[in-house]
Amino acid sequence: MTSPHPPLLSPGYKSTVLRAPQQAPILLPGSLGELTGPVLGEGPVASGDADLTLDGKGGEAQGQRIIVHGVVSDAAGRPVRDQLVEVWQANAAGRYLHKWDRHDAPLDPHFTGVGRALTDDEGRYRFVTVKPGAYPWGNHPNAWRPAHIHFSLFGRAFTQRLVTQMYFPDDPLFAFDPIYHSVPEFARDRLVAGFDLGATVDSWALGFRFDIVLSGDSATPWETK
Amino acid sequence: MTTPSQTVGPYLSIGLSWDEGPFVVPADAPGAVWLRGEIRDGNGDLVPDALVETWQADPDGRFHTPGFRGFGRCGTDDEGKWAIRTRKPGPVDGQAPHIAVSVFARGLLDRVITRVYFADEAPANAADTVLESVPEARRHTLLAAPDGDGYRFDIRLQGDDETVFFTF
Ligand SMILES: [Fe+2]
């Protein structure tokens, strides 16, 4: 089966040119070291971490309020329960709260852009946030990233670890984005959330659905030797 | 229908840095050691926007031991350096002691995966089938050398002495 993952060397995305390894990777046999993985549980998640719009001090982020939800499952379609989901994103103006972000757009004093949640028994997660703005980057002249939210997932095994980006439907910037285009064409739409009227809350927030499927095998603790 | 990977981008520290991330064990844990290194690109330049994650067995070679998280995470600093405080793992499944490592960075569209072995475990390393599968001239890139209060493991993403990376 063809891999849905982008090749590490994707020269349209210039930073890959000096960072992609040149040697072919060596096949690792299945081993407990990689077929197990951290069980992080609630430790890293504090109350309120799934709502990025509230700063916990009475302030509220600017922008279009949205709900982003979905199901995390494994390659066999089984829900991945009690798993940490980490997200980070630019604010509504397309600016990150980061010392290296020099985009001439306002910071939002009430928005850090970081969220954490645990999946429930059905593998579901749900964040409340604001729609991130597109932002410029230095890859090529007039380069803009399509609006996106960064996602990080662990799964049940080291082999399943995934960091990706969720995009929004019908973004006109897709056509010009080498990071989106690094993904083989057949798999690109898996990174695009669907507008979800059912998750939309009347007079309050638009809903989007982004389901995530992790690859790889895992040895659940009771299967280990 | 696996979801494709994408780069962590340059602002990964917003979402992926934890205060406790580098501390797999407390400072006063018996046998606590620092695993430190730097990351360089194909030009030999330091990579200040990367993240290293580690996953390992406890000193008895067991996973998921109560009280031992086994997982470490540290972003590189402005000098491309990272450090994780942990305990040396025991042998697992007849393999030499090792730590599984993921490296994420701006410019890496997917993580790269490697293993830390320990240079002071020569007899166990000599019998390790994974090390044996690596061309001899490249094996040294997987060996952490004893250094001060722990071990040193530098990562070279590309070029001369490129670190050995694995796939599943
Ligand atoms: Fe981004």
Side-chain angles (χ1 to χ4, degrees):
Chain A
M1 201 170 65
T2 315
S3 170
H5 299 297
L8 289 171
L9 180 61
S10 295
Y13 173 23
K14 291 203 175 108
S15 301
T16 67
V17 174
L18 283 171
R19 294 188 172 187
Q22 290 168 326
Q23 306 280 341
I26 292 173
L27 189 67
L28 201 57
S31 156
L32 274 187
E34 284 84 15
L35 294 179
T36 53
V39 178
L40 297 166
E42 287 182 358
V45 184
S47 129
D49 280 358
D51 188 338
L52 288 74
T53 66
L54 302 177
D55 68 3
K57 292 170 248 167
E60 194 166 0
Q62 302 267 350
Q64 170 75 67
R65 192 184 295 113
I66 61 173
I67 290 157
V68 177
H69 77 117
V71 172
V72 182
S73 56
D74 65 15
R78 294 175 297 198
V80 181
R81 302 186 175 95
D82 299 325
Q83 282 293 327
L84 179 64
V85 182
E86 298 169 290
V87 297
W88 71 102
Q89 64 168 89
N91 70 22
R95 176 86 185 262
Y96 283 95
L97 182 59
H98 193 286
K99 64 179 179 179
W100 291 337
D101 189 354
R102 302 287 157 77
H103 179 202
D104 181 13
L107 284 169
D108 180 338
H110 304 299
F111 189 74
T112 62
V114 54
R116 296 189 182 97
L118 277 190
T119 57
D120 68 11
D121 280 351
E122 274 93 54
R124 294 177 302 202
Y125 71 87
R126 183 177 186 271
F127 290 100
V128 179
T129 184
V130 294
K131 188 176 178 197
Y135 61 86
W137 60 311
N139 190 70
H140 56 274
N142 206 14
W144 292 78
R145 294 297 329 282
H148 60 272
I149 298 176
H150 297 266
F151 271 73
S152 159
L153 302 117
F154 286 87
R156 287 182 286 257
F158 181 83
T159 55
Q160 293 184 304
R161 183 87 175 87
L162 176 72
V163 175
T164 190
Q165 299 180 23
M166 181 205 99
Y167 299 92
F168 291 85
D170 305 317
D171 195 317
L173 292 168
F174 287 157
F176 311 103
D177 182 43
I179 293 181
Y180 173 76
H181 275 267
S182 69
V183 173
E185 189 172 6
F186 73 89
R188 282 177 202 155
D189 62 357
R190 300 178 195 173
L191 295 179
V192 183
F195 173 64
D196 187 350
L197 190 65
T200 295
V201 178
D202 187 17
S203 306
W204 194 71
L206 292 177
F208 292 89
R209 178 161 181 156
F210 181 55
D211 292 337
I212 297 162
V213 180
L214 305 177
S215 65
D217 298 318
S218 67
T220 46
W222 53 90
E223 288 167 344
T224 62
K225 281 175 261 179
Chain B
M1 290 296 282
T2 303
T3 305
S5 171
Q6 292 270 266
T7 179
V8 293
Y11 308 125
L12 68 162
S13 66
I14 295 173
L16 298 180
S17 59
W18 298 346
D19 291 346
E20 290 299 306
F23 311 125
V24 181
V25 296
D28 57 0
V33 291
W34 281 99
L35 181 64
R36 305 177 200 273
E38 58 188 32
I39 304 183
R40 291 181 185 270
D41 69 10
N43 267 348
D45 292 331
L46 294 159
V47 177
D49 40 16
L51 179 86
V52 170
E53 287 182 351
T54 60
W55 170 243
Q56 64 171 99
D58 72 9
D60 297 320
R62 293 175 306 191
F63 293 93
H64 301 127
T65 321
F68 183 73
R69 190 176 68 188
F71 174 74
R73 164 187 269 192
C74 184
T76 52
D77 64 15
D78 289 350
E79 274 77 53
K81 290 180 167 38
W82 58 274
I84 283 168
R85 188 175 63 213
T86 187
R87 295 180 70 185
K88 199 170 165 183
V92 174
D93 274 355
Q95 300 180 32
H98 64 273
I99 296 176
V101 173
S102 301
V103 182
F104 303 85
R106 172 176 67 83
L108 283 180
L109 283 160
D110 198 352
R111 64 172 171 160
V112 290
I113 293 153
T114 188
R115 278 185 172 189
V116 172
Y117 285 87
F118 297 88
D120 54 4
E121 295 282 345
N125 291 342
D128 186 272
T129 54
V130 171
L131 276 177
E132 195 177 32
S133 74
V134 173
E136 198 173 354
R138 301 188 65 205
R139 277 178 211 160
H140 69 98
T141 70
L142 300 176
L143 297 181
D147 184 25
D149 54 0
Y151 293 87
R152 178 164 180 135
F153 186 79
D154 292 333
I155 296 166
R156 183 75 188 259
L157 292 175
Q158 186 192 90
D160 295 340
D161 270 343
E162 182 175 303
T163 300
V164 169
F165 298 107
F166 294 99
T167 187
F168 304 118

